[in-house]
Amino acid sequence: MPEAPAMRVAAIVPCHNEALAIGKVVADLRATVPHMDIYVYDNASTDETVDVARNAGAIVRHEYTKGKGNVVRRAFADVDADVYVLIDGDDTYATADLPDMIDALLEGPYDHVLGVRRETEAGAYRPGHELGNRGFNWFVSGVFGSPVSDMLSGYRVFSRRFVKSFPALSREFEIETELTVHAMSLRVPQKEVSVGFKDRPAGSESKLRTYHDGFRILGLIIGLIRHERPMLFYGLTGVAIAFLGVLVGIPVVLDFLQTGLVPRLPTAILTVGIVIVAFLAWMIGLILDGVLKSRREFSRLNYLLYAAPCFANGAGSDGRHND
């Protein structure tokens, strides 16, 4: 019998002005998983990122539209592999944990392995980031009914069927949120693995803007709730509008009970209009819930077009054979 083809592992490393760190990231990835293809996606860098990455042995590609989400969207479409690794190019994540993440994906088999950050040195998290991350984790876990410990982590491993069924609509740093919610909505098998996390190299600056990107992430979460949980979103919206209608209509009802007349006709008309809008919100939620079911069925069928990830030729993520 012909020998099965070797498992293809690809690392996708989004970069914008990471000349100080990208060389070490590429070297560490190569040392950790020697047979892995390493794609550095330059995102309109103005420093020596491209030259450093190429000299380190990476395959350099370009995405000129700014934003990490745009990079991931392009890379997921262009790169062909069995296992995909997504890691930032700022040398903050421990590449030594990557074999465990890949092995977890293959042994499950899982479609999404999330690297949950574990500080290996003080000050790795910027002030307010850890608290904000915990708040987002709690909110998303509660809304979508699936626990997540670090939804903003940029260190993940995916199966081919996850990557090729992921729409990638985000433009910037909210891409991690979209990845997390996609896994929850599609209910793919997934696992969390603890990974080391340290501060950026001296002289390197974070591209994350705390408040700006925080509000973008919050806006994306609300938008995803509207798309992925329409009954919840429009149901609560309808309740809020109906409550407003009741408040406006109470004086009209009291006048009618006392006099048998409706002296505040404009208020009565306004009340009826508000209540009708509330019912319309509930109906929109009901209709979109049906559309959502059809969309999820289509996404599920697209997801099932690809086989589950597994070890090829009995070889583990680092090339060792499993006896």
Side-chain angles (χ1 to χ4, degrees):
M1 292 180 60
E3 190 172 298
M7 179 183 63
R8 298 166 299 171
V9 182
I12 296 169
V13 190
C15 280
H16 173 69
N17 291 343
E18 297 291 1
L20 291 176
I22 189 58
K24 185 174 185 303
V25 172
V26 173
D28 289 346
L29 287 172
R30 178 70 65 210
T32 304
V33 186
H35 66 282
M36 179 169 61
D37 294 324
I38 303 172
Y39 295 86
V40 170
Y41 270 80
D42 172 59
N43 192 210
S45 295
T46 56
D47 62 2
E48 303 301 317
T49 294
V50 171
D51 293 335
V52 173
R54 187 174 287 120
N55 291 336
I59 302 168
V60 178
R61 292 183 176 175
H62 299 271
E63 172 53 54
Y64 297 104
T65 305
K66 289 287 294 294
K68 184 177 179 180
N70 292 317
V71 172
V72 172
R73 178 185 179 91
R74 175 74 177 271
F76 279 8
D78 292 351
V79 176
D80 192 45
D82 300 304
V83 175
Y84 294 77
V85 177
L86 181 64
I87 185 171
D88 292 340
D90 56 7
D91 192 30
T92 56
Y93 293 102
T95 57
D97 295 313
L98 182 55
D100 290 337
M101 296 175 70
I102 296 176
D103 288 346
L105 183 92
L106 299 174
E107 290 171 353
Y110 297 102
D111 290 300
H112 176 218
V113 174
L114 174 65
V116 177
R117 289 171 287 185
R118 177 189 73 254
E119 279 190 297
T120 56
E121 61 181 46
Y125 274 106
R126 290 174 63 186
H129 284 196
E130 185 174 11
L131 181 61
N133 190 23
R134 288 181 179 179
F136 285 136
N137 292 336
W138 172 82
F139 183 62
V140 170
S141 297
V143 170
F144 291 94
S146 180
V148 60
S149 302
D150 192 3
M151 61 172 281
L152 299 182
S153 173
Y155 196 9
R156 301 166 188 249
V157 176
F158 310 100
S159 69
R160 176 179 174 82
R161 62 184 181 180
F162 181 97
V163 166
K164 297 307 180 182
S165 66
F166 178 62
L169 302 177
S170 300
R171 297 178 182 273
E172 297 186 17
F173 284 102
E174 65 271 23
I175 185 66
E176 284 92 358
T177 302
E178 188 183 1
L179 286 164
T180 300
V181 172
H182 177 72
M184 291 178 173
S185 299
L186 206 55
R187 289 181 289 174
V188 302
Q190 56 182 324
K191 184 178 183 179
E192 295 183 348
V193 173
S194 178
V195 298
F197 182 66
K198 61 182 180 179
D199 199 5
R200 300 172 63 93
S204 176
E205 294 184 1
S206 174
K207 315 304 184 300
L208 184 64
R209 294 166 291 178
T210 303
Y211 296 106
H212 176 271
D213 292 312
F215 282 118
R216 286 187 68 94
I217 292 168
L218 180 60
L220 176 69
I221 291 173
I222 294 173
L224 288 171
I225 294 172
R226 181 166 59 88
H227 287 290
E228 301 295 338
R229 297 292 301 275
M231 281 297 292
L232 174 65
F233 181 85
Y234 288 100
L236 292 178
T237 301
V239 168
I241 295 173
F243 181 71
L244 175 63
V246 169
L247 290 180
V248 173
I250 285 177
V252 177
V253 173
L254 291 178
D255 286 344
F256 179 77
L257 293 176
Q258 292 173 359
T259 66
L261 300 173
V262 184
R264 306 184 186 187
L265 185 58
T267 304
I269 295 173
L270 176 62
T271 301
V272 172
I274 292 174
V275 173
I276 289 174
V277 171
F279 275 104
L280 286 175
W282 292 327
M283 290 303 299
I284 290 172
L286 187 63
I287 293 170
L288 290 181
D289 190 62
V291 174
L292 173 65
K293 183 178 180 181
S294 298
R295 182 161 53 86
R296 283 182 174 171
E297 288 174 351
F298 178 79
S299 297
R300 181 71 180 177
L301 290 174
N302 187 47
Y303 161 83
L304 292 174
L305 289 174
Y306 302 94
C310 62
F311 284 117
N313 299 329
S317 61
D318 55 1
R320 296 174 300 192
H321 282 266
N322 301 311
D323 299 322

